[in-house]
Amino acid sequence: MEENKLDQQTQNGDTPMFKNNNAGEDYDPYLHRNIPNATSNYQTLIHLLKGTLGTGIMAMPYAFSKAGYVSGLMSTVFLTLMTTNCFLMLTNNQYILCKRHRRPTLSYPMLMKMSLEEGPSFLRCLSKIAIPFVDGFLIGNQCGICCVYVVFTAENIGEILNEACGVYWNVKIYVAILLLPLMLLMCVRNLKHLTPFSLISNCITFVGVAMLFYYFFEDGIAGPSERKAINSIENFPLYFGTILFAINSFALVIAVENNMKTPKSFNMIMSIAMGAICVLYAAFGFVGYLRYGESCKGSVTLNPDQTETLAKCIRGIFALAIFISYGLQGYVPVSIVWGTYLSKVWDNPDNKIYYEFAVRISFVLITCGVAAAIPFIGLFINLIGAFSISMLGIICPALMEICVLYKDKLSNLILAKDILLIAIGVVGLVFGTFTSVREIIDMYNK
C-alpha cells in the first residue's frame, strides 16, 4: 500500500519520500519483491534472446550494404557494446534508486522521473513530463516493432501463397487475414505464460538462420574484394537505424528484470544474450552482404529465388517465428496503456477483464492498420531504430546515470562517457530519422 501511495505521489509531481541518499543503505530491493509467476534465469534468457532476435536479423545484410563490410563489422561490435552498456545502466540505476527510496521495483517512466528529480537543477523541471514522455516513446517504439512484424509476416505468407496457389493478393489482404490469430495471441496476459511461445520462436528462428547460411554458401559467395569495405557516409544513417532496431530490446529490459526470481543474475544473463546476438548478427550481415551485395533487400528472405522449395521453407519458418513473437513485443505497450492509464478509469471489477481484452484487441487493430498503410519494412525498421531507440535506448539511460550519480559518485570519466553517448544518440536520431522519412517519401512518390 505504501508503495502504491509513493507511485501516485510521484506521478502527481509531489516530492518523493526518502530523499536522503543514505536512507536506503540497509534496504535491498531484491529482497522485497513479491512477484507472482516470476521467471527463472533460463526463462529470462529466452525472453531477452527473443526480444532481440526478430526481424532485425533479416535486415542485417541490407544494413551492411549501406555501411560496407568493414564499417558494418566494426560498427556492429561497437553498437552492441554500447547498447549492452546502456541496458546495464538502466538496471543499475534502477537498483540505486530503489535502494534510496525503499522501492522493490520501478518502471522505466518512473525511473526517468525520479532520476531527473535528483539531477542538476536545470534538468529537474523535465521530471514533470518524464512519465508521459517515456510512455509515449515506449508505446510508439513497441507499436512500430509490432507493425514491422505484421508486415514481415504478411509479405512472406503472401509470397509463399502466390507461388504455391497462384493467388496474387495485395499485402493488405494478408494483413487482414492475420487479425484474428494476432488477437488471440495478444490475449495471453502473463509474461511467464509467453515463455513457451518465446522458446518456440527462438528455436524456429535459429533453424531459419541456419538454413539461410546454407543458402548463402550453396552457390558460392563473392570475395570481400568484390564488395565495398566502407560505403558512402550519407548511407550510414540507414545502417545506424537498422542495427539499433536489430539489437535493441530496451523496452523489455526493465519489465523482464522486474519479473525475475533472481534479479542479481540479470547482468550476467544480459551479457550472455548480447554477446551471442553480436556474433550472430555480425556474421549474418557480413555473409549475407557478400552473397547479395548492393541488391540486398530490407528482409533478406526476399532475395532468394522464390520458386525454390528451400526458399519457401525459409520464408515460412521466419513468418511463423515472427508471428509468434508479436505477443511478447506487444506485452509492454499494452501493459503501459492498460496498467498505467486505462485500468484506473474502470473501477468495476466484474467488467474490468473485458475492458482489458478490448484494449488488447484495439492494439492489434491499430498496428495492423499502420502496417497496411506503410508496407516498406526496411525503411520502417530504420525509422523506428533512429527515432525511438536513439532516444530511449541511448540518450535516456546516459542522462539517467548523470542524474542518479550527480550528488555523490559522478566522476569526470563517467560524465564524459555519458555526454558522448548523448551526442551519439542525438546525431543518430536527427540524421537517421531525416534519412528514413526522406526515403519513405521517395517510395510513395515513385
Side-chain angles (χ1 to χ4, degrees), residues 13 21 24 32 39 42 94 99 110 124 137 165 177 182 197 226 233 241 243 253 270 280 306 309 392 410 446:
N21 287 351
H32 291 78
T39 54
Y42 170 72
Q94 180 192 215
K99 191 175 180 67
M110 187 64 68
R124 292 174 190 170
F137 267 90
C165 308
I177 293 173
L182 287 175
F197 294 98
E226 300 178 46
I233 189 66
I243 186 65
V253 169
M270 170 57 72
L280 180 61
Q306 299 306 309
T309 302
L392 293 191
L410 184 59
K446 286 183 179 180

Side-chain angles (χ1 to χ4, degrees), residues 85 89 93 96 397-406 408-422:
N85 175 67
M89 285 162 57
N93 290 329
I96 292 172
L399 183 61
M400 193 182 296
E401 185 170 67
I402 292 174
C403 293
V404 170
L405 302 181
Y406 174 69
D408 46 12
K409 298 179 181 178
L410 184 59
S411 66
N412 291 334
L413 181 61
I414 292 177
L415 179 61
K417 178 204 70 172
D418 289 339
I419 291 176
L420 177 61
L421 285 173
I422 291 172

Side-chain angles (χ1 to χ4, degrees), residues 18-306:
F18 308 111
K19 290 298 288 183
N20 182 355
N21 287 351
N22 297 320
E25 285 299 320
D26 298 327
Y27 181 86
D28 186 349
Y30 296 154
L31 299 179
H32 291 78
R33 291 184 180 179
N34 183 20
I35 307 297
N37 299 311
T39 54
S40 66
N41 290 352
Y42 170 72
Q43 291 170 327
T44 300
L45 178 62
I46 294 298
H47 282 314
L48 289 175
L49 287 174
K50 184 59 258 162
T52 307
L53 189 59
T55 54
I57 191 172
M58 298 297 100
M60 286 304 296
Y62 170 80
F64 270 60
S65 73
K66 299 300 180 183
Y69 64 86
V70 172
S71 297
L73 286 171
M74 294 177 61
S75 299
T76 299
V77 174
F78 171 75
L79 289 174
T80 303
L81 290 173
M82 182 185 73
T83 301
T84 305
N85 175 67
C86 290
F87 287 163
L88 299 180
M89 285 162 57
L90 280 175
T91 55
N92 291 340
N93 290 329
Q94 180 192 215
Y95 181 81
I96 292 172
L97 286 179
C98 284
K99 191 175 180 67
R100 285 180 187 173
H101 298 277
R102 307 182 72 84
R103 303 285 298 279
T105 62
L106 288 171
S107 64
Y108 194 139
M110 187 64 68
L111 182 58
M112 191 73 238
K113 177 180 175 63
M114 295 173 72
S115 298
L116 289 169
E117 288 176 336
E118 300 193 0
S121 57
F122 68 91
L123 291 176
R124 292 174 190 170
C125 61
L126 299 177
S127 65
K128 296 180 180 179
I129 63 170
I131 290 178
F133 178 83
V134 174
D135 278 342
F137 267 90
L138 281 171
I139 293 169
N141 178 75
Q142 293 304 110
C143 284
I145 291 175
C146 289
C147 291
V148 171
Y149 281 20
V150 172
V151 173
F152 182 90
T153 305
E155 283 187 347
N156 282 275
I157 291 176
E159 290 292 337
I160 294 171
L161 293 180
N162 288 349
E163 292 295 332
C165 308
V167 179
Y168 296 93
W169 289 342
N170 188 287
V171 66
K172 297 177 182 179
I173 302 295
Y174 294 104
V175 170
I177 293 173
L178 289 172
L179 279 173
L180 180 59
L182 287 175
M183 288 176 184
L184 294 175
L185 189 61
M186 274 305 300
C187 288
V188 179
R189 303 167 59 225
N190 190 286
L191 189 62
K192 185 180 181 68
H193 295 158
L194 286 171
T195 300
F197 294 98
S198 295
L199 179 59
I200 293 170
S201 182
N202 281 340
C203 293
I204 294 173
T205 301
F206 281 121
V207 170
V209 169
M211 293 173 70
L212 270 174
F213 269 116
Y214 169 79
Y215 209 104
F216 291 161
F217 287 104
E218 184 184 24
D219 296 325
I221 61 174
S225 61
E226 300 178 46
R227 304 298 185 214
K228 294 180 181 180
I230 301 176
N231 210 336
S232 171
I233 189 66
E234 68 180 17
N235 290 324
F236 193 80
L238 293 175
Y239 164 84
F240 183 83
T242 302
I243 186 65
L244 279 188
F245 177 90
I247 64 177
N248 220 307
S249 57
F250 67 87
L252 289 173
V253 169
I254 296 296
V256 169
E257 195 264 1
N258 283 343
N259 277 277
M260 287 185 68
K261 290 179 182 177
T262 56
K264 291 183 179 180
S265 304
F266 181 81
N267 287 4
M268 176 190 67
I269 295 172
M270 170 57 72
S271 300
I272 292 172
M274 294 304 292
I277 289 297
C278 180
V279 172
L280 180 61
Y281 276 36
F284 193 83
F286 176 74
V287 176
Y289 174 53
L290 293 185
R291 174 68 174 85
Y292 294 111
E294 307 307 315
S295 64
C296 288
K297 297 184 179 180
S299 171
V300 76
T301 57
L302 300 174
N303 280 104
D305 183 356
Q306 299 306 309

